[in-house]
Amino acid sequence: MRTLGVVGAGTMGRGIAQLGLQNGLRVLLNDADPAALTRAKASIRESLGRAVAKGKLTQASADAALGRLVTAGALSDLAACDLVVEAVFEDLALKRRLLAELERLVPAPVTLATNTSSLLVSQVAEGMEAPERLVGLHFFNPPVAMKLVEVVRHPGTGEKALSAAWDLALELGREPVAVKDGPGFLVNRVVRPYYLVAQRLAGEGAGTFTELDAALTAQGLPMGPFTLMDFIGLEVNLAITKSIFAGLGSPERLAPHWLQEKLVGMGFKGVKSAAGFYLYLQGRKDAENPAAVSLVPRFKKPLPPEEVFARVMAAVAAEAELMVQGGVASSKDIDLAVTLAMNFPKGPFAWGKSGAKA
Ligand code: NAD
């Protein structure tokens, strides 16, 4: 039986561990905080219990899965793993320290993977004696439900690490896509214009948040950009935009929008603070947030919904094209990633081919 090591038992680590357990792997889960390990085990047990209740898993396989989970108190316990993925706090110095320790404790050529979402894999690899052992394995939240995994190669990633990460993603029943290391990797970068163009349109008075959202959902997108930003957290979404903008050398097309900056500055975070572009009553969307409405001109230049959709998707498609040209990912993988991570009915290239105005 293969053994997967997971370091960090928070939101992502416990989900990755559960995926491993559900797919027949033995999992050694480590965390610097013993309480986090206890919480992770309880949460995996609960989650497996829910899968049994829904008829997705038999009780026997849930019991067997839990029986394959080993909570490892010391990092050195991971020495016998076939692959180790780290999901500790998003802190570069911490990750570098951890990788240096892991490469010492887990003998080569075992692959080490980082689940970082906003650091470059090459930054995390800096300081490693054998950076060829490191690859990005970017799972999405929650890992058990989200099929996409971005397999990110930094300039020094070795072939062995790449194929080990790719094979693990497949073994976990995920859909891997091949991505070159860079700000935002694949999905986070390609969807930036979805949020930014929508805000520019709102700022120009092209429609209300509700109308602009509706223009996108009318074409089969599951959530309009304003609802989605509220859901993700305005401040989280803004931080991702800022980091990608800075990482790519501040291209004007990806500049953070003043509307979101102002709202975040006013303390509006979206669903979690009960107010963002919209207000939320017990977590359910209510009216537009008057404070947000007061910041934008209304109905100065109303745009037909088809035009709104075309403008937003044209910008997503343009970013996608730049990414292909820059060797970040193939058009096929970009389309696949966007459909899996964003639940868009089609990716930007398929949309272009199907004759959408975008
Ligand atoms: P989290 O805060 O929920 O969990 C992090 C865990 O790491 C904590 O339990 C903490 O005790 C542990 N930890 C910290 N230092 C450690 C050390 N030296 N050794 C062992 N354990 C240590 O964080 P998270 O949301 O699970 O994110 C983890 C990583 O995954 C980050 O790099 C993040 O960017 C990335 N990520 C997060 C999401 C998301 O939506 N939450 C999605 C994709 C990727």
Side-chain angles (χ1 to χ4, degrees):
M1 189 196 305
R2 299 220 312 145
T3 303
L4 172 67
V6 180
V7 186
T11 308
M12 295 306 288
R14 69 181 64 164
I16 297 165
Q18 184 179 339
L19 260 183
L21 297 169
Q22 286 181 199
N23 288 283
L25 298 180
R26 184 164 169 262
V27 175
L28 295 188
L29 180 60
N30 167 269
D31 198 289
D33 174 7
L37 277 180
T38 311
R39 284 196 301 273
K41 191 164 187 180
S43 128
I44 292 172
R45 182 184 288 113
E46 256 175 52
S47 174
L48 290 170
R50 281 196 299 275
V52 172
K54 283 187 194 158
K56 288 184 177 169
L57 206 64
T58 65
Q59 187 62 53
S61 29
D63 290 344
L66 212 54
R68 287 192 294 272
L69 175 64
V70 181
T71 47
L75 214 49
S76 54
D77 296 342
L78 303 185
C81 288
D82 297 293
L83 188 148
V84 177
V85 54
E86 73 77 18
V88 301
F89 299 139
E90 189 76 333
D91 172 328
L92 180 58
L94 169 70
K95 285 189 193 284
R96 279 187 181 155
R97 267 200 317 276
L98 178 71
L99 263 307
E101 214 175 333
L102 277 175
E103 72 173 344
R104 193 171 53 77
L105 294 170
V106 183
V110 171
T111 293
L112 307 172
T114 174
N115 186 45
T116 181
S117 49
S118 65
L119 302 167
L120 294 180
V121 179
S122 60
Q123 291 176 314
V124 178
E126 236 169 73
M128 283 178 75
E129 271 181 30
E132 65 274 12
R133 291 176 71 185
L134 187 71
V135 60
L137 254 180
H138 186 216
F139 289 85
F140 289 74
N141 189 20
V144 179
M146 300 293 287
K147 282 269 175 188
L148 182 71
V149 175
E150 294 177 349
V151 177
V152 186
R153 64 190 185 281
H154 71 91
T157 299
E159 284 307 315
K160 198 187 167 302
L162 257 189
S163 61
W166 189 271
D167 290 348
L168 176 73
L170 291 176
E171 195 170 356
L172 299 180
R174 305 298 91 183
E175 295 253 19
V177 287
V179 185
K180 186 174 91 171
D181 197 17
F185 302 142
L186 194 169
V187 170
N188 276 338
R189 174 172 165 190
V190 79
V191 302
R192 275 313 95 194
Y194 190 62
Y195 311 111
L196 292 170
V197 174
Q199 290 183 81
R200 277 177 220 146
L201 290 175
E204 290 164 12
T208 64
F209 306 135
T210 312
E211 286 164 351
L212 295 171
D213 270 352
L216 277 306
T217 54
Q219 302 288 337
L221 303 185
M223 250 191 218
F226 297 100
T227 306
L228 188 51
M229 281 184 275
D230 275 0
F231 184 75
I232 292 168
L234 290 192
E235 84 295 9
V236 172
N237 185 271
L238 178 62
I240 299 173
T241 297
K242 283 184 170 172
S243 115
I244 295 175
F245 178 63
L248 289 174
S250 311
E252 196 46 41
R253 69 181 193 283
L254 298 179
H257 197 270
W258 57 263
L259 178 55
Q260 193 171 13
E261 302 230 45
K262 275 203 171 154
L263 290 173
V264 170
M266 292 159 87
F268 296 118
K269 295 183 175 175
V271 181
K272 71 178 86 158
S273 70
F277 291 103
Y278 299 94
L279 299 175
Y280 295 84
L281 287 177
Q282 279 150 4
R284 302 194 67 164
K285 189 158 87 177
D286 193 42
E288 293 188 356
N289 178 2
V293 171
S294 72
L295 295 173
V296 291
R298 309 300 286 227
F299 312 115
K300 288 238 174 91
K301 287 192 255 166
L303 266 191
E306 307 76 42
E307 187 60 25
V308 169
F309 171 75
R311 288 219 198 159
V312 172
M313 291 311 289
V316 172
E319 195 62 36
E321 189 55 50
L322 283 176
M323 289 168 68
V324 171
Q325 283 166 15
V328 176
S330 69
S331 54
K332 188 166 153 276
D333 276 358
I334 291 177
D335 273 0
L336 176 66
V338 167
T339 52
L340 289 175
M342 302 292 293
N343 266 321
F344 284 12
K346 286 178 213 166
F349 294 99
W351 230 309
K353 279 192 200 116
S354 68
K357 279 191 207 154

